[in-house]
Amino acid sequence: MAIITLCTLIISQCHKDRLCIVQMSTCIDVATEAVGAGVDPALAVSLSWYETRLRPGLTSKMGAQGPLQVIPKFWCKSEPCDYVEAGLRALKYYLRKEPNERKAICRYNAGTCKPKSWDWAGRVIKLKNKLLKEQNNDYFNY
């Protein structure tokens, strides 16, 4: 999947110019690093969309940081932390450890798979599948 196409699809509803630029830049960073890390870029971008709407500077009340909302004490190897790299490393860890993608995303989000996290993981996968389908439709329309 072309990274620019993927990112254009995910932020197509953006209406605030400055935020759109930040989201596009973050999307390109996440997707590009995902390719390099051997992670599906559509999954990584979808995860980042649901974690932060592709806004890189957010910190959660639990201390999760960056566009993929990683907990630095668990996933950051150095200071300053590359939150995208750390998030992709965490995602890859859970994808290897769990029997299916949804459970891996659920664990990424909450550590355990309670109903709320399971539903959230389903939304991430649904967005990933929608992006892949739309990207494929766009490809065949040229």
Side-chain angles (χ1 to χ4, degrees):
M1 172 181 292
I3 290 172
I4 298 297
T5 302
L6 170 68
C7 293
T8 301
L9 287 169
I10 199 156
I11 66 164
S12 64
Q13 302 302 312
C14 188
H15 301 291
K16 297 178 183 175
D17 291 340
R18 286 183 62 176
L19 179 59
C20 295
I21 293 168
V22 170
Q23 286 176 310
M24 179 60 95
S25 176
T26 302
C27 183
I28 291 168
D29 289 346
V30 169
T32 302
E33 286 198 42
V35 169
V39 173
D40 178 354
L43 176 60
V45 166
S46 297
L47 180 63
S48 183
W49 179 258
Y50 273 103
E51 287 285 6
T52 63
R53 293 297 193 256
L54 293 163
R55 293 173 292 168
L58 298 183
T59 301
S60 76
K61 62 183 175 187
M62 299 300 292
Q65 297 184 354
L68 292 165
Q69 290 292 281
V70 296
I71 305 287
K73 69 180 179 179
F74 297 124
W75 297 105
C76 292
K77 291 183 171 183
S78 63
E79 287 295 325
C81 183
D82 179 339
Y83 297 120
V84 174
E85 184 274 330
L88 292 170
R89 193 167 9 89
L91 178 58
K92 198 169 183 177
Y93 169 83
Y94 288 116
L95 288 168
R96 279 193 311 262
K97 187 172 174 105
E98 294 304 331
N100 64 61
E101 191 175 69
R102 188 171 184 175
K103 188 165 185 181
I105 296 165
C106 184
R107 298 254 345 261
Y108 178 97
N109 176 253
T112 60
C113 285
K114 296 181 179 174
K116 185 176 179 181
S117 296
W118 185 254
D119 292 344
W120 185 88
R123 289 191 299 273
V124 171
I125 292 170
K126 185 176 180 180
L127 176 58
K128 178 198 87 163
N129 291 337
K130 178 182 177 186
L131 290 172
L132 290 172
K133 182 180 177 185
E134 288 180 15
Q135 192 275 335
N136 287 333
N137 287 341
D138 285 348
Y139 177 79
F140 290 113
N141 287 329
Y142 288 107

